[in-house]
Amino acid sequence: FLQYCLSGHPTLPCNVLKFKSTTIMLDCGLDMTSTLNFLPLPLVQSPRLSKLPGWVLKDGSTFLDKELKECSGHVFVDSVPEFCLPETELLDLSTVDVILISNYHCMMALPYITEYTGFTGTVYATEPTVQIGRLLMEELVNSIERVPKAQSASMWKNKEVQRLLPVPLKDAVEVSMWRKCYTMPEVNSALSKIQLVGYSQKIELFGAVQVTPLSSGYALGSSNWIIQSHYEKVSYVSGSSLLTTHPQPMDQASLKNSDVLILTGLTQIPTANPDGMVGEFCSNLAMTVRNGGNVLVPCYPSGVIYDLLECLYQYIDSAGLSNVPFYFISPVANSSLEFSQIFAEWLCHNKQTKVYLPEPPFPHAELIQTNKLKHYPSIHGDFSNDFKQPCVVFTGHPSLRFGDVVHFMELWGKSSLNTVIFTEPDFSYLDALAPYQPLAMKCVYCPIDTRLNFIQVSKLLKEVQPLHVVCPEQYTQPPPTQSHRTDLMIDCQPPPMSYRRAEVLTLPYKRRYEKIEIMPELADSLVPLEIKPGISLATVSAVLHTKDNKHVLQLPPKPPQPPASKKRKRVNDDVPECKPLKPLLSGSIPVDQFVQTLEKHGFSDVKVEDTAKGHIVLLQEAETLIQIEEDSTHIICDNDEPLRVKLRDLVLKFLQKF
Amino acid sequence: VSYLCASGAGAGQDVGRSCILVSIAGKNVMLDCGMHMGYNDDRRFPDFSYITQNGRLTDFLDCVIISHFHLDHCGALPYFSEMVGYDGPIYMTHPTKAICPILLEDYRKITVDKKGETNFFTSQMIKDCMKKVVAVHLHQTVQVDEELEIKAYYAGHVLGAAMFQIKVGCESVVYTGDYNMTPDRHLGAAWIDKCRPDLLITESTYATTIRDSKRCRERDFLKKVHETVERGGKVLIPVFALGRAQELCILLETFWERMNLKAPIYFSTGLTEKANHYYKLFITWTNQKIRKTFVQRNMFEFKHIKAFDRAFADNPGPMVVFATPGMLHAGQSLQIFRKWAGNEKNMVIMPGYCVQGTVGHKILSGQRKLEMEGRQILEVKMQVEYMSFSAHADAKGIMQLIRQAEPRNVLLVHGEAKKMEFLKQKIEQEFHVSCYMPANGETTTIFTNPSIPVDISLGLLKRETAIGLLPDVKKPKLMHGTLMMKDNSFRLVSPEQALKELGLAEHQLRFTCRVHIQDPRKEHETVLRVYNHLKGVLKDYSVQHLPDGSITVESILIQATAHSEDQGTKVLLVSWTYQDEELGSYLTSLLKKGLPQSTA
């Protein structure tokens, strides 16, 4: 089978698998790092941003100064931010039968695929994935749509022009494929194509393939997928975690015995320990607030934020932060907090137990009840009345290019009392900060990425022992910035097959069997014979029916009864057709016994002659001769059909049929 | 041929308690473990000795499945697992696992603490029993062991209620538990896919009823409550803490809001507040509408409905009280009933089914003088109303489920014999499947005839399907293979491969027949005539004239020699292998008839 690789981003994968007769898309991640090339979208008119100088080429030409602006030595596109889509030309995406989603971060490109490619299939995902995925999309659409931008820059994308631009714009890939954000109607339409599934639910695709989601331990409802037929098994591992945070633990056992294991979504910060990062997060937060400064935490509205709130819940009293307000600002803040409480079945054991009491599984319910945590849809409205400083604000988007976070960067950036703490690992924090430079505010980088690191991967692979591993090329070599760290790559035998964007891989597999069903009537008619101790054989002559990729063997239909008044038929009509095939024979014929049998059946003139390889049995009167050797018998007679049939049956008595 | 059995240790033709034993392909599964609320003696629990005679339950049963948290489906569980002794797995959904121990504890308190019964399970036993429970997701395939798998479907009867599919190989049983095919104010409708089980075991509580529209019943209910309250009467609604109670609360809450009513509505304490919490936390198990709007407004946060205190029952003036349990057989609802029963201004509304022996059942069947404990006679003057809000499928719903699942056999349980008989006929008429209705303790055996899955070597299959692709698809092609049975594996391979794997050589059986024909011509001319003749007759066969003077028809070899004595007679040697016997024998008889007169 084949694997089409549509995304080069190892944690935002998009692959298409041709497996047996089905075409399966595995995730459709949206690479949003492209937005880092754009100027932030301020909610409130920002004099600083609007005064940035236009970019001028070395030769002094200014034709790009409307599209490109310069800020502290970096050049940014002054336009609605755009995203880098998965490859859409590598294969006809309207032929995709199903899309399997592994977690809510890996579905952000879904509307582009389902609404623009002629896709008519079904998308499978768990309920938390869909609900939280919807929230992420809603937030994204909302934060881009509420800041309408008059300008849509495209001149810079011209290949001839792009060549002249400074890095990183000059090296940006496939800029012609970059697209603006989708709209809510498109999101709704895309999500309506999703069918909800539960962990360990077996979903049949066209009778040929079965797919099953398994808990991956990374996020609420996150899954790995098993794609299998009766004889082949592909495991798709995407965004898994072995750390105990809030989701149900990862199901590793079900990944065993895979022919191929596709491995994506490993940690993006392999050198950072998530626990250590959480500790640093808390202490930096406390220090800033104690000194009278504000803390800004750019984040997604779901996921790690639940764990951070839980840590703070345990930490704030001991750290003397009980009176500091925590704000969570997002158009979906309320929904996210509410939804987190209703997915008991998708939570880790401890949280499940709380629901049985019944108590809310996440302590942020209590933070809200005691007014320590407040949530608002945006900085406008109630928030502006309640806003007290110093405070801690959680808000998006982590790229710092849109969303309420832009406002706080502009508001707090000028004071060194304030701190911005980066916890999301998806964007380089230096790149994220570039359009805000120069900046007085403190910046702390505490990336929390709970996905598998290379030590865990190597343990996992030893445990589940796939025959072949397939992974993005980034995992087969040390990170470019740490080329001596050969421990930061996948090490397994045989070495992994790697892929890169726009590549097509042929996956190795060897299949020798297929399932077939023997109908009960046929099974009843079989006569098993024990050939060797423990091994029985039965010859099967049956009719093969194949429908929906399922094979069934049935009894052959009874031959039609010959008509009662047997007319003389033309010779042609008697030509034999479609009679059951004769079995193969095996064994050898003991001459003495054979002769005795012949005599018992009325042959009185049997004579036996020895030859080099065996014997010749002569029936003198019948002028018939039977050559018997170890592995062959030859009956030579006159055209006397009854005699031949009689001899045949006597010979067959000594032989086994196959 | 294999078979599966279903025997009711409880259920059967009775609504009292559910407990069914299913044997399928050698696996034994117990479905539900209910207690009978009409009895206070041994009869309240199923007779488990019936299952194994003397053996240990753990050895005999592969697993236990609980469909939902109602006590007539799970009430005997601690008795079964801790007192009789069972250590195997018990499966139920997450909400059932959460709520079940609370109801069991409540039941234990009523029985032991209030009635002072001994020889009953303890709180610790409930805890130990729940440790054996494995929670399942909807639609998750749970592998109980290598062969036995189970899968839960949404049943819509109460929060967390599920139907279960039990499958071994290609044989399967579906057990519905209690279910509801019409969505109500808080739950969705039961749903199952076309899983074509060998047997569908369905409840049949409302086997003969086709209920009028839900809206009418709701309007009727609200009218009765409203009228009673208007004339200063008190309304008692005995309910189970979870289920109907929440639906009726939502109904009254919205009505009170709309009509701006002031009379207090109470909900009997403890359990019910907790119950509403469960609904909030397991909101994904409620209906679409509630799930969609829960972020803006959680339907289970009631403004008008307050917690009840025992002292309130004596307050003057109108009020509405929801009190547990639902069949007036014990506890708070019975206490309030006794207080209010004497006043004709008051009303009791029974929103669900009552089993025989309970006070609820007695007053519904018209009894107005009740003998209470201590020979005391209670005269019932209050109005008694029955409103079927029970979330059971009615006859229409049961038929609908059968249509969805397409079972090969249907077994009716959890209903009354007469009503079941009616439904049985209807099912057999409409679906042409066998329908059974065993009595308590009776065993129904159903023979199944499953097809046998085997592994076919890809080589053989490809060879056969390649043949199948020839234009002549109308004639079914026969495939020939050898089924190798070793241990428990079945493999269908080509005969050649079977021989090879067994290390055996093929024994070739060959026949050569002499056919004499009269032909004075030279040998090679005779051969040519034979060749032309065969070519003419056997149009679909490959007939070849080889350079060495022989003829082949497919693999059959024909050589001609002159007769040693008679030059006018030629001897044709026709030679074929056993595998081509049909054709070989046909050719000899064809040649024996002689050659047609040459026209040339």
Side-chain angles (χ1 to χ4, degrees):
Chain A
F1 38 103
L2 297 173
Q3 181 184 339
Y4 297 78
C5 312
L6 311 187
S7 159
H9 196 301
T11 32
L12 297 167
C14 182
N15 291 299
V16 172
L17 205 61
K18 291 220 176 190
F19 184 78
K20 297 198 82 179
S21 48
T22 54
T23 305
I24 302 170
M25 180 180 278
L26 304 170
D27 280 331
C28 45
L30 184 62
D31 188 349
M32 296 200 226
T33 51
S34 55
T35 59
L36 294 175
N37 296 296
F38 292 77
L39 272 190
L41 291 179
L43 283 174
V44 186
Q45 175 78 28
S46 154
R48 185 187 69 87
L49 285 172
S50 48
K51 276 188 211 141
L52 287 176
W55 184 70
V56 183
L57 269 75
K58 276 199 193 102
D59 65 4
S61 17
T62 58
F63 70 99
L64 280 170
D65 69 345
K66 291 272 179 307
E67 291 203 347
L68 302 180
K69 302 283 173 184
E70 196 166 347
C71 175
S72 304
H74 288 84
V75 177
F76 297 94
V77 182
D78 188 10
S79 177
V80 188
E82 296 179 340
F83 308 116
C84 178
L85 268 54
E87 210 65 38
T88 49
E89 305 294 320
L90 196 58
L91 83 160
D92 179 3
L93 292 178
S94 69
T95 62
V96 170
D97 297 311
V98 294
I99 302 178
L100 308 180
I101 303 293
S102 51
N103 63 66
Y104 46 74
H105 286 301
C106 291
M107 62 184 279
M108 297 300 279
L110 197 60
Y112 295 116
I113 305 291
T114 59
E115 308 309 302
Y116 292 102
T117 63
F119 172 79
T120 55
T122 309
V123 185
Y124 291 99
T126 64
E127 181 165 8
T129 300
V130 178
Q131 298 295 5
I132 298 172
R134 176 194 297 276
L135 298 182
L136 293 184
M137 289 179 176
E138 240 179 83
E139 189 193 61
L140 186 66
V141 172
N142 183 294
S143 48
I144 287 178
E145 281 185 353
R146 72 181 157 151
V147 190
K149 190 119 184 158
Q151 171 165 279
S152 177
S154 59
M155 216 193 307
W156 69 277
K157 288 184 178 181
N158 184 305
K159 278 218 163 67
E160 293 307 307
V161 177
Q162 200 194 352
R163 263 189 326 119
L164 308 170
L165 304 180
V167 285
L169 281 177
K170 186 182 173 181
D171 303 330
V173 289
E174 317 229 21
V175 289
S176 59
M177 302 266 296
W178 291 11
R179 290 285 174 274
K180 288 195 193 91
C181 189
Y182 33 72
T183 63
M184 261 338 267
E186 286 164 351
V187 169
N188 289 328
S189 169
L191 295 181
S192 71
K193 297 176 171 107
I194 301 184
Q195 196 164 318
L196 299 183
V197 293
Y199 289 150
S200 303
Q201 178 176 349
K202 296 176 179 172
I203 303 134
E204 292 282 342
L205 305 180
F206 319 109
V209 179
Q210 196 181 58
V211 296
T212 310
L214 304 173
S215 176
S216 77
Y218 165 59
L220 270 175
S222 70
S223 9
N224 292 322
W225 290 84
I226 302 286
I227 302 121
Q228 63 188 338
S229 69
H230 287 295
Y231 296 96
E232 303 120 316
K233 176 168 173 180
V234 177
S235 292
Y236 173 59
V237 173
S238 162
S240 299
S241 176
L242 292 169
L243 297 180
T244 318
T245 58
H246 57 275
Q248 214 181 89
M250 177 180 178
D251 178 352
Q252 296 182 67
S254 306
L255 300 173
K256 281 185 183 166
N257 303 319
S258 304
D259 297 299
V260 173
L261 187 140
I262 302 170
L263 188 59
T264 66
L266 304 185
T267 176
Q268 301 184 77
I269 321 289
T271 48
N273 163 11
D275 283 335
M277 287 297 145
V278 172
E280 232 170 90
F281 167 82
C282 286
S283 58
N284 275 296
L285 182 145
M287 203 151 62
T288 304
V289 176
R290 273 194 218 111
N291 292 334
N294 301 295
V295 175
L296 178 62
V297 187
C299 63
Y300 293 114
S302 177
V304 174
I305 186 172
Y306 303 144
D307 300 315
L308 290 178
L309 289 174
E310 183 152 5
C311 286
L312 290 171
Y313 169 82
Q314 290 155 358
Y315 182 76
I316 45 179
D317 287 331
S318 66
L321 301 174
S322 332
N323 296 318
V324 179
F326 287 76
Y327 300 117
F328 176 15
I329 303 170
S330 159
V332 298
N334 185 29
S335 299
S336 166
L337 294 169
E338 289 287 337
F339 270 114
S340 68
Q341 306 287 19
I342 66 159
F343 291 125
E345 294 161 272
W346 308 86
L347 293 172
C348 64
H349 181 76
N350 278 346
K351 296 225 174 306
Q352 255 174 28
T353 316
K354 286 189 88 179
V355 174
Y356 289 172
L357 290 178
E359 279 172 21
F362 285 97
H364 52 240
E366 198 183 317
L367 286 176
I368 295 168
Q369 220 166 30
T370 54
N371 264 327
K372 285 175 181 158
L373 173 66
K374 293 182 180 181
H375 55 83
Y376 303 89
S378 86
I379 52 166
H380 301 299
D382 288 347
F383 175 71
S384 39
N385 302 326
D386 300 353
F387 183 41
K388 280 191 199 78
Q389 306 191 64
C391 65
V392 179
V393 170
F394 293 87
T395 189
H397 185 271
S399 65
L400 305 191
R401 291 303 179 269
F402 42 85
D404 296 275
V405 73
V406 175
H407 175 76
F408 289 98
M409 284 303 297
E410 294 287 335
L411 185 70
W412 290 343
K414 293 169 220 91
S415 164
S416 60
L417 280 179
N418 303 326
T419 307
V420 54
I421 310 182
F422 291 89
T423 55
E424 302 287 357
D426 288 353
F427 301 92
S428 142
Y429 80 106
L430 290 175
D431 291 345
L433 288 170
Y436 299 94
Q437 300 290 5
L439 209 56
M441 172 184 218
K442 278 199 290 288
C443 303
V444 179
Y445 185 51
C446 299
I448 298 167
D449 196 331
T450 58
R451 287 171 279 207
L452 298 176
N453 61 37
F454 290 99
I455 299 167
Q456 292 165 330
V457 164
S458 101
K459 237 182 110 190
L460 174 75
L461 292 179
K462 274 199 192 101
E463 185 80 22
V464 305
Q465 298 210 326
L467 291 182
H468 300 277
V469 174
V470 176
C471 67
E473 61 174 352
Q474 290 91 332
Y475 298 158
T476 58
Q477 59 216 21
T481 50
Q482 293 158 294
S483 54
H484 62 288
R485 294 290 300 268
T486 49
D487 56 326
L488 300 183
M489 56 188 272
I490 294 177
D491 175 28
C492 68
Q493 276 311 319
M497 302 177 61
S498 69
Y499 66 82
R500 63 173 75 179
R501 188 178 169 110
E503 218 170 53
V504 182
L505 281 189
T506 306
L507 302 186
Y509 83 104
K510 207 171 177 187
R511 184 162 68 103
R512 287 173 51 209
Y513 287 95
E514 182 66 84
K515 260 305 183 250
I516 197 164
E517 285 199 356
I518 296 187
M519 293 304 283
E521 300 77 25
L522 175 64
D524 286 344
S525 76
L526 297 180
V527 189
L529 200 72
E530 192 163 14
I531 298 286
K532 287 183 174 178
I535 303 179
S536 300
L537 294 188
T539 55
V540 180
S541 284
V543 180
L544 175 69
H545 287 273
T546 299
K547 197 184 165 193
D548 295 340
N549 294 310
K550 294 230 186 304
H551 310 292
V552 175
L553 276 183
Q554 290 179 338
L555 265 186
K558 292 218 172 78
Q561 292 295 315
S565 60
K566 205 174 177 184
K567 284 184 204 157
R568 197 191 143 79
K569 281 197 245 165
R570 288 193 52 214
V571 179
N572 264 3
D573 296 339
D574 287 338
V575 175
E577 51 174 328
C578 195
K579 287 275 169 55
L581 276 165
K582 286 284 192 290
L584 293 187
L585 303 171
S586 180
S588 54
I589 299 179
V591 174
D592 298 344
Q593 286 177 41
F594 182 60
V595 170
Q596 282 170 24
T597 311
L598 285 176
E599 285 169 347
K600 221 187 281 171
H601 282 82
F603 298 95
S604 52
D605 55 347
V606 184
K607 233 178 97 184
V608 178
E609 289 172 12
D610 287 354
T611 64
K613 285 181 179 168
H615 310 273
I616 290 179
V617 178
L618 276 165
L619 307 177
Q620 288 167 314
E621 193 192 333
E623 285 188 50
T624 293
L625 169 166
I626 304 163
Q627 289 176 344
I628 298 177
E629 291 178 7
E630 179 68 26
D631 289 326
S632 68
T633 301
H634 193 170
I635 300 172
I636 301 158
C637 61
D638 266 341
N639 188 17
D640 179 351
E641 188 66 4
L643 172 68
R644 187 188 69 80
V645 170
K646 194 170 182 184
L647 291 175
R648 175 198 69 190
D649 291 343
L650 294 180
V651 167
L652 288 178
K653 275 189 186 167
F654 293 93
L655 297 173
Q656 288 160 342
K657 294 181 182 177
F658 287 86
Chain B
V1 176
S2 75
Y3 65 91
L4 50 95
C5 298
S7 42
Q13 297 163 12
D14 183 359
V15 191
R17 58 175 185 220
S18 284
C19 186
I20 296 162
L21 188 69
V22 168
S23 300
I24 168 171
K27 302 282 172 187
N28 299 312
V29 178
M30 191 164 97
L31 304 170
D32 279 337
C33 190
M35 60 124 207
H36 198 301
M37 275 176 287
Y39 298 122
N40 285 325
D41 52 27
D42 284 351
R43 287 175 293 172
R44 97 181 117 209
F45 293 135
D47 180 9
F48 295 112
S49 63
Y50 168 88
I51 297 179
T52 57
Q53 313 304 339
N54 297 313
R56 274 166 37 91
L57 285 168
T58 313
D59 299 334
F60 181 76
L61 290 174
D62 293 284
C63 74
V64 173
I65 292 171
I66 301 294
S67 65
H68 64 283
F69 58 63
H70 277 158
L71 291 175
D72 54 339
H73 291 258
C74 70
L77 202 54
Y79 169 78
F80 162 80
S81 74
E82 306 311 308
M83 296 174 78
V84 183
Y86 168 77
D87 299 320
I90 301 168
Y91 294 96
M92 50 179 87
T93 64
H94 283 271
T96 309
K97 185 180 173 188
I99 296 162
C100 179
I102 291 160
L103 295 187
L104 286 170
E105 178 58 25
D106 193 51
Y107 169 48
R108 190 199 65 79
K109 268 195 208 142
I110 289 175
T111 318
V112 177
D113 297 354
K114 292 214 172 124
K115 292 188 187 163
E117 281 185 44
T118 51
N119 192 25
F120 202 76
F121 53 77
T122 63
S123 293
Q124 189 56 44
M125 285 177 185
I126 298 175
K127 284 186 190 132
D128 292 340
C129 167
M130 293 312 291
K131 281 182 196 149
K132 297 170 186 172
V133 172
V134 181
V136 301
H137 289 249
L138 280 183
H139 303 161
Q140 171 191 6
T141 300
V142 180
Q143 213 71 45
V144 177
D145 59 33
E146 271 187 19
E147 288 113 33
L148 174 62
E149 56 180 52
I150 62 172
K151 180 177 175 181
Y153 292 93
Y154 191 80
H157 172 65
V158 286
L159 194 72
M163 309 189 274
F164 279 88
Q165 183 194 42
I166 301 112
K167 199 171 167 196
V168 181
C170 44
E171 290 167 83
S172 64
V173 175
V174 168
Y175 172 60
T176 65
D178 291 351
Y179 63 103
N180 186 12
M181 295 299 285
T182 41
D184 62 26
R185 275 178 192 268
H186 76 306
L187 296 177
W191 178 86
I192 195 160
D193 51 18
K194 206 180 278 310
C195 55
R196 298 198 176 93
D198 293 294
L199 176 64
L200 174 78
I201 304 175
T202 172
E203 66 136 334
S204 50
T205 314
Y206 288 115
T208 50
T209 338
I210 302 222
R211 282 177 296 170
D212 47 0
S213 91
K214 192 104 188 174
R215 293 261 163 239
C216 292
R217 264 178 292 144
E218 285 175 359
R219 214 176 305 131
D220 212 24
F221 169 79
L222 290 172
K223 197 173 142 220
K224 276 175 182 147
V225 172
H226 192 196
E227 280 169 4
T228 311
V229 171
E230 285 286 279
R231 65 169 180 258
K234 297 176 166 66
V235 183
L236 170 65
I237 309 171
V239 286
F240 287 104
L242 290 119
R244 244 16 56 200
Q246 278 68 30
E247 186 187 0
L248 296 180
C249 281
I250 292 172
L251 196 60
L252 280 190
E253 168 91 8
T254 36
F255 187 71
W256 249 239
E257 181 100 12
R258 194 170 42 146
M259 304 294 288
N260 199 19
L261 297 180
K262 294 285 176 272
I265 308 176
Y266 297 114
F267 213 139
S268 73
T269 44
L271 254 182
T272 34
E273 273 170 73
K274 247 185 170 179
N276 290 341
H277 268 295
Y278 281 115
Y279 276 86
K280 281 188 226 165
L281 294 172
F282 285 110
I283 210 132
T284 55
W285 284 80
T286 60
N287 70 24
Q288 195 92 32
K289 195 178 154 203
I290 293 185
R291 273 188 293 165
K292 267 207 165 140
T293 56
F294 93 103
V295 174
Q296 290 78 45
R297 178 163 186 241
N298 198 315
M299 288 298 273
F300 299 102
E301 274 162 18
F302 300 116
K303 264 196 290 180
H304 296 272
I305 301 169
K306 296 178 183 67
F308 181 74
D309 186 289
R310 195 186 294 208
F312 294 172
D314 299 319
N315 283 358
M319 69 174 83
V320 180
V321 176
F322 289 95
T324 55
M327 300 187 195
L328 284 178
H329 56 283
Q332 202 155 37
S333 62
L334 187 59
Q335 279 172 23
I336 300 172
F337 174 76
R338 290 167 83 158
K339 277 202 173 132
W340 294 358
N343 190 337
E344 60 272 10
K345 272 207 295 191
N346 297 340
M347 177 182 284
V348 58
I349 300 180
M350 307 296 299
Y353 189 90
C354 293
V355 297
Q356 243 169 9
T358 59
V359 171
H361 188 268
K362 284 175 193 160
I363 58 169
L364 282 184
S365 49
Q367 223 174 305
R368 288 295 174 264
K369 288 203 163 90
L370 302 172
E371 191 181 333
M372 307 306 280
E373 281 151 48
R375 299 258 169 107
Q376 206 186 333
I377 299 292
L378 179 70
E379 197 172 338
V380 182
K381 288 187 184 154
M382 77 196 295
Q383 296 179 53
V384 178
E385 294 288 345
Y386 171 67
M387 312 222 67
S388 158
F389 277 98
S390 275
H392 291 278
D394 59 6
K396 213 167 104 193
I398 295 170
M399 301 297 275
Q400 203 181 327
L401 187 85
I402 296 174
R403 209 166 292 128
Q404 272 183 19
E406 286 191 3
R408 297 192 181 87
N409 297 278
V410 176
L411 193 143
L412 302 177
V413 294
H414 212 257
E416 286 163 28
K418 258 185 261 162
K419 294 181 181 176
M420 279 156 82
E421 184 59 45
F422 168 80
L423 186 64
K424 173 178 146 72
Q425 280 171 18
K426 226 177 128 162
I427 290 170
E428 288 181 337
Q429 253 168 36
E430 187 168 337
F431 300 107
H432 309 288
V433 298
S434 308
C435 183
Y436 306 84
M437 34 178 286
N440 253 357
E442 196 183 317
T443 300
T444 307
T445 304
I446 287 152
F447 288 91
T448 59
N449 210 358
S451 51
I452 297 161
V454 304
D455 295 348
I456 182 168
S457 87
L458 216 53
L460 180 62
L461 183 67
K462 286 213 170 124
R463 192 166 85 186
E464 296 302 328
T465 43
I467 296 168
L469 289 174
L470 288 173
D472 189 16
V473 284
K474 266 189 223 154
K475 282 183 204 155
K477 284 280 176 184
L478 276 176
M479 79 174 285
H480 183 74
T482 301
L483 187 63
M484 299 187 69
M485 290 163 270
K486 193 181 164 187
D487 303 324
N488 278 325
S489 85
F490 294 83
R491 285 184 308 131
L492 188 60
V493 297
S494 63
E496 294 86 352
Q497 191 183 337
L499 281 176
K500 202 171 143 197
E501 283 189 25
L502 290 165
L504 297 176
E506 189 194 338
H507 188 105
Q508 218 185 51
L509 176 56
R510 178 167 274 282
F511 305 96
T512 300
C513 278
R514 293 182 288 264
V515 181
H516 300 256
I517 53 174
Q518 298 303 317
D519 190 14
R521 292 179 183 84
K522 293 210 166 124
E523 271 163 45
H524 71 267
E525 284 173 31
T526 312
V527 169
L528 204 59
R529 284 187 70 205
V530 170
Y531 171 68
N532 286 332
H533 175 49
L534 294 179
K535 190 114 178 130
V537 175
L538 302 166
K539 292 215 165 57
D540 296 338
Y541 289 79
S542 138
V543 182
Q544 287 181 355
H545 190 183
L546 300 181
D548 68 355
S550 53
I551 299 169
T552 59
V553 179
E554 304 285 329
S555 73
I556 288 140
L557 188 69
I558 303 170
Q559 285 169 318
T561 53
H563 198 276
S564 50
E565 291 150 24
D566 175 6
Q567 285 299 315
T569 303
K570 298 288 178 302
V571 180
L572 295 176
L573 291 174
V574 186
S575 179
W576 67 90
T577 64
Y578 173 62
Q579 282 69 28
D580 285 309
E581 195 178 24
E582 312 291 334
L583 187 58
S585 133
Y586 165 74
L587 279 180
T588 52
S589 59
L590 179 68
L591 291 171
K592 203 176 170 185
K593 287 175 190 153
L595 297 173
Q597 288 307 309
S598 158
T599 47

